[in-house]
Amino acid sequence: MSFLRRRKPLPPSDGDESDHDDNDKGKKPSSSSGSPSKEPTKRTKAKWSCVDSCCWLVGCVCSAWWLLLFLYNAMPASFPQYVTEAITGPLPDPPGVKLQKEGLRVKHPVVFVPGIVTGGLELWEGHHCAEGLFRKRLWGGTFGDVYKRPLCWVEHMSLDNETGLDKPGIRVRPVTGLVAADYFVPGYFVWAVLIANLARIGYEEKTMYMAAYDWRLSFQNTEVRDQTLSRIKSNIELMVATNGGNRVVVIPHSMGVLYFLHFMKWVEAPPPMGGGGGPDWCEKHIKAVMNIGGPFLGVPKAVAGLFSSEAKDVAVARAIAPDVLDSDFLGLQTLRHLMRMTRTWDSTMSMIPKGGDTIWGNLDWSPEDGIECKAKKHKANDTGVSKDSNGGNIEVQPEPINYGRLVSFGKDVAEAPSSEIEQIEFRDAVKGNNIAHSNTSCREIWTEYHELGWGGIKAVADYKVYTASSVVDLLHFVAPRMMQRGNVHFSYGIADNLDDPKYQHYKYWSNPLETKLPNAPDMEIFSMYGVGIPTERAYVYKLAPQAECYIPFRIDTSAEGGEENSCLKGGVYLADGDETVPVLSAGYMCAKGWRGKTRFNPAGSKTYVREYSHSPPSTLLEGRGTQSGAHVDIMGNFALIEDVIRIAAGATGEEIGGDQVYSDIFKWSEKIKLKL
């Protein structure tokens, strides 16, 4: 009976409906079971809202993600390799496996010296906003705290603007061990591939050492604060003593090349400035220094970074979506915070171009004059001469490029004859008319441009063009506080007399043009780097819109060359290199400056140039490629890894083939008129 009582009544007929309409008007529906409420005969179809669409999309993405994750974990470990080989054919053995089959085994201990930004940093003491982050990575790893608390992260990653050391109440320290720089972030290797291949022939933790250091600090300050240089010295001595007296093979990468150059002078120098190892320490303890992607003479990219906190990629992103990097959304003035933070990192000043106009060129000349920017696959010792159909030579007439003009305000200035450029001196210009006088938020994030004022900004633009010599003065003008600290630790000139006692100061030790190599005739020095990738060499700038919180200078991404293969792309003049370091900087010292007995290499240590022609991966399954010449990806280059393993196993530079050159580095080196 209860079922019958709850049964839904049949809808009334048309006649019944009309009869009841008048009686039901104004009556409220009864709540009793005997008088059910009247329902409409037709249901209105629900509308699909934007929220529904978003939820549906998120659900589909999450479902697909979990499905892919499940399949990835369920598939056999060899499946990706099976698919790759099915498409590209059998893969070659990794260098470690290949050389293990040849019978190579552990001989010389190996020391890795990471470069800038690739080493992990962890928090040991912080402010209240960093609660719960003790010994968590602030740099490297997942970068999760950048998104959760970005301003707190910037505060803890910045150094004191006066001392170049820790801010009060903050201690950020380098991660130690091989894990310090094996991967930059999960899945993005730095040293991991090289470590794994060395392990194939028997290397392990006791024969490998990661010389981790706080790459934000000036080189000498890593010793002042953390005694890092002393730790490197002690570890090398221990490794030599516990491995039968076999000297170490040191493998620095990127800025680590300059850091280890500083170390080799520090370890010989007497205390308190040096390590007190004596003039023969390097000869006794180091077999070879295999420099990878070394910015020996600096990089133009450092100028753009310090001047406007951008390089080619950032400038392009800014042009595409200017509101993202320049907006004040949620108080996150992205590039201004980046400038404030990076200008406290003294290490960045170590990579300002060295050697001035003698090395990098002037308004009318540069060593790379005549370079072709047409993309091509390099061949060994390529001369760059084209052939016609009959095999005869064709004279190539590339577009003229003024690489010596590192910074030009306007494309017309970059291309104009020097006689037509009217430069108005900026060095003594009066600064004033502060651009941040009324905006307190600007003062919180700005570095030194608010002190420069529009008068100083206009003076910078009116000078029009800067070479390697004047760009140092430019940085002194726009960032005097930063450069005042930098002057204590770094120098960018060329020594007239290396026997002058002033060159015993540590500020000269990382400049190969102002210091001598150690007295180590049996120590070999390699310069190993990629070629065949367009690399930043000079910039076209413009004034930014006059806004209080904006960085007043930016790369003019609208400046393009007139030809398809022009060297000018998006306001940046490109030359040959590894995407970060031009060939000129990476190769000159080993190609000429240190070649044979020179005043920079009085002991005559043997030097070798080993170039690796870039070949991008043919498919996505290859990852970053095994023939890459890119600045970081080259660490997974099979040819480079094989060279490193052979030297570590006891071979000499001559035994692995001596020089391997694809670029015109020897021709360019001959154009540089430097007293040797």
Side-chain angles (χ1 to χ4, degrees):
M1 294 298 291
S2 61
F3 171 78
L4 293 176
R5 283 198 299 269
R6 292 188 179 119
R7 188 175 57 183
K8 184 177 181 181
L10 295 173
S13 63
D14 293 342
D16 294 339
E17 185 177 354
S18 61
D19 292 340
H20 288 286
D21 280 347
D22 294 336
N23 296 330
D24 291 342
K25 284 182 180 179
K27 293 183 179 180
K28 295 182 180 179
S30 173
S31 61
S32 65
S33 60
S35 301
S37 61
K38 185 178 179 181
E39 294 186 6
T41 58
K42 295 183 180 180
R43 294 183 179 275
T44 304
K45 187 176 181 180
K47 292 183 178 179
W48 191 260
S49 67
C50 292
V51 175
D52 295 325
S53 300
C54 291
C55 292
W56 181 85
L57 179 62
V58 170
C60 288
V61 171
C62 290
S63 299
W65 170 256
W66 285 110
L67 177 62
L68 291 173
L69 191 62
F70 171 77
L71 293 175
Y72 176 80
N73 287 283
M75 73 172 65
S78 60
F79 184 74
Q81 180 179 350
Y82 172 79
V83 174
T84 303
E85 291 183 351
I87 297 174
T88 63
L91 295 176
D93 284 336
V97 174
K98 173 187 173 183
L99 298 178
Q100 182 190 35
K101 292 176 180 178
E102 292 183 15
L104 270 66
R105 294 293 181 267
V106 178
K107 184 173 183 182
H108 296 278
V110 171
V111 177
F112 308 115
V113 186
I116 192 170
V117 312
T118 54
L121 300 174
E122 60 187 18
L123 182 69
W124 281 80
E125 180 184 3
H127 295 161
H128 181 71
C129 65
E131 190 71 28
L133 297 181
F134 175 69
R135 293 206 65 197
K136 298 290 181 63
R137 288 202 182 196
L138 292 187
W139 189 269
T142 61
F143 283 92
D145 290 291
V146 178
Y147 311 111
K148 295 177 184 176
R149 29 191 156 185
L151 296 183
C152 181
W153 178 82
V154 168
E155 179 69 16
H156 285 74
M157 282 298 297
S158 301
L159 295 170
D160 188 277
N161 217 9
E162 300 295 333
T163 65
L165 296 170
D166 294 315
K167 289 184 174 181
I170 294 177
R171 281 187 295 153
V172 176
R173 297 293 181 266
V175 178
T176 58
L178 296 178
V179 297
D182 54 353
Y183 290 91
F184 178 55
V185 295
Y188 189 87
F189 70 81
V190 183
W191 295 92
V193 177
L194 179 55
I195 291 171
N197 278 277
L198 284 165
R200 291 283 190 175
I201 68 167
Y203 279 88
E204 52 188 284
E205 193 106 28
K206 67 181 181 181
T207 48
M208 293 189 288
Y209 167 61
M210 183 71 71
Y213 59 99
D214 190 336
W215 44 262
R216 301 172 303 160
L217 302 177
S218 70
F219 302 156
Q220 192 69 8
N221 272 346
T222 63
E223 174 67 15
V224 171
R225 195 193 72 178
D226 301 332
Q227 294 76 53
T228 304
L229 298 174
S230 294
R231 295 173 190 272
I232 295 174
K233 175 177 180 285
S234 298
N235 275 282
I236 290 177
E237 291 172 345
L238 177 63
M239 294 173 82
V240 171
T242 56
N243 283 276
N246 290 318
R247 296 175 296 162
V248 300
V249 171
V250 184
I251 312 170
H253 173 245
S254 190
M255 191 188 74
V257 169
L258 302 179
Y259 186 67
F260 196 75
L261 193 63
H262 179 99
F263 169 83
M264 288 192 294
K265 295 302 295 183
W266 172 88
V267 76
E268 292 181 339
M273 188 180 297
D280 59 349
W281 190 94
C282 291
E283 174 72 3
K284 290 179 178 178
H285 294 89
I286 303 176
K287 174 192 186 292
V289 184
M290 307 189 76
N291 303 289
I292 302 176
F296 288 104
L297 301 177
V299 287
K301 206 171 187 176
V303 174
L306 294 171
F307 186 48
S308 61
S309 282
E310 58 183 348
K312 182 177 182 292
D313 296 338
V314 175
V316 170
R318 188 189 216 177
I320 295 173
D323 292 337
V324 174
L325 294 178
D326 293 321
S327 70
D328 295 339
F329 179 65
L330 297 180
L332 304 179
Q333 299 93 343
T334 311
L335 282 182
R336 274 78 76 201
H337 281 301
L338 179 64
M339 175 175 281
R340 179 182 66 140
M341 179 174 67
T342 56
R343 282 193 177 180
T344 67
W345 298 348
D346 289 352
S347 62
T348 58
M349 288 178 278
S350 71
M351 293 182 290
I352 293 174
K354 304 174 178 67
D357 297 356
T358 301
I359 299 293
W360 296 92
N362 55 30
L363 297 182
D364 300 307
W365 167 87
S366 69
E368 303 102 321
D369 283 348
I371 190 175
E372 289 184 76
C373 290
K374 182 178 180 180
K376 65 176 182 176
K377 176 72 175 178
H378 283 287
K379 295 181 180 180
N381 300 304
D382 193 354
T383 61
V385 178
S386 301
K387 303 285 185 180
D388 62 18
S389 58
N390 298 321
N393 292 342
I394 299 176
E395 186 177 356
V396 179
Q397 297 292 341
E399 64 176 354
I401 307 164
N402 297 315
Y403 281 131
R405 307 178 187 188
L406 291 187
V407 173
S408 303
F409 276 87
K411 180 185 175 184
D412 55 334
V413 174
E415 297 176 345
S418 59
S419 58
E420 298 179 6
I421 301 176
E422 295 183 8
Q423 294 178 284
I424 301 176
E425 184 57 54
F426 72 95
R427 294 173 179 85
D428 298 323
V430 177
K431 303 177 183 180
N433 300 323
N434 287 353
I435 57 178
H437 63 278
S438 63
N439 194 323
T440 56
S441 67
C442 284
R443 286 196 286 270
E444 291 174 0
I445 64 167
W446 212 249
T447 52
E448 292 164 295
Y449 278 128
H450 70 283
E451 299 169 0
L452 190 63
W454 289 120
I457 291 169
K458 186 176 183 300
V460 169
D462 286 343
Y463 193 73
K464 293 185 173 61
V465 60
Y466 297 83
T467 64
S469 294
S470 55
V471 82
V472 177
D473 294 332
L474 169 65
L475 293 174
H476 274 285
F477 186 74
V478 301
R481 194 177 307 143
M482 176 189 75
M483 294 300 290
Q484 184 178 3
R485 294 195 321 272
N487 282 346
V488 176
H489 297 281
F490 304 107
S491 180
Y492 313 104
I494 300 174
D496 294 325
N497 178 16
L498 287 168
D499 294 324
D500 190 322
K502 78 173 186 178
Y503 292 111
Q504 300 303 313
H505 191 273
Y506 61 77
K507 68 179 289 184
Y508 302 102
W509 291 348
S510 62
N511 182 356
L513 302 175
E514 293 183 305
T515 191
K516 299 177 184 178
L517 285 178
N519 182 28
D522 292 332
M523 181 180 72
E524 296 180 317
I525 300 178
F526 296 80
S527 186
M528 312 167 76
Y529 54 90
V531 296
I533 307 179
T535 302
E536 297 171 41
R537 179 65 170 80
Y539 301 89
V540 176
Y541 268 85
K542 66 178 181 180
L543 283 176
Q546 294 189 5
E548 285 189 331
C549 275
Y550 274 39
I551 295 174
F553 311 109
R554 65 176 58 174
I555 295 172
D556 185 2
T557 53
S558 65
E560 295 282 349
E563 302 175 3
E564 180 182 355
N565 296 315
S566 171
C567 293
L568 177 60
K569 301 286 186 182
V572 181
Y573 281 102
L574 303 169
D576 195 5
D578 69 359
E579 202 171 33
T580 297
V581 183
V583 166
L584 185 67
S585 178
Y588 173 77
M589 292 309 298
C590 280
K592 186 179 179 182
W594 289 331
R595 183 63 57 114
K597 284 192 175 184
T598 70
R599 66 190 183 106
F600 303 111
N601 181 18
S605 299
K606 291 183 178 179
T607 62
Y608 301 94
V609 176
R610 301 286 293 178
E611 295 183 344
Y612 303 86
S613 184
H614 175 69
S615 181
S618 57
T619 68
L620 292 175
L621 295 173
E622 287 187 40
R624 289 152 65 189
T626 60
Q627 300 179 62
S628 176
H631 188 63
V632 178
D633 294 355
I634 198 173
M635 305 287 279
N637 185 299
F638 276 14
L640 179 142
I641 293 173
E642 183 173 333
D643 287 346
V644 170
I645 294 178
R646 288 190 183 279
I647 295 296
T652 65
E654 292 296 333
E655 290 171 346
I656 67 169
D659 294 324
Q660 175 180 276
V661 179
Y662 300 96
S663 71
D664 290 325
I665 182 59
F666 287 111
K667 182 172 74 174
W668 296 339
S669 297
E670 290 303 318
K671 293 182 180 180
I672 296 174
K673 306 304 179 185
L674 178 64
K675 184 181 71 173
L676 298 176

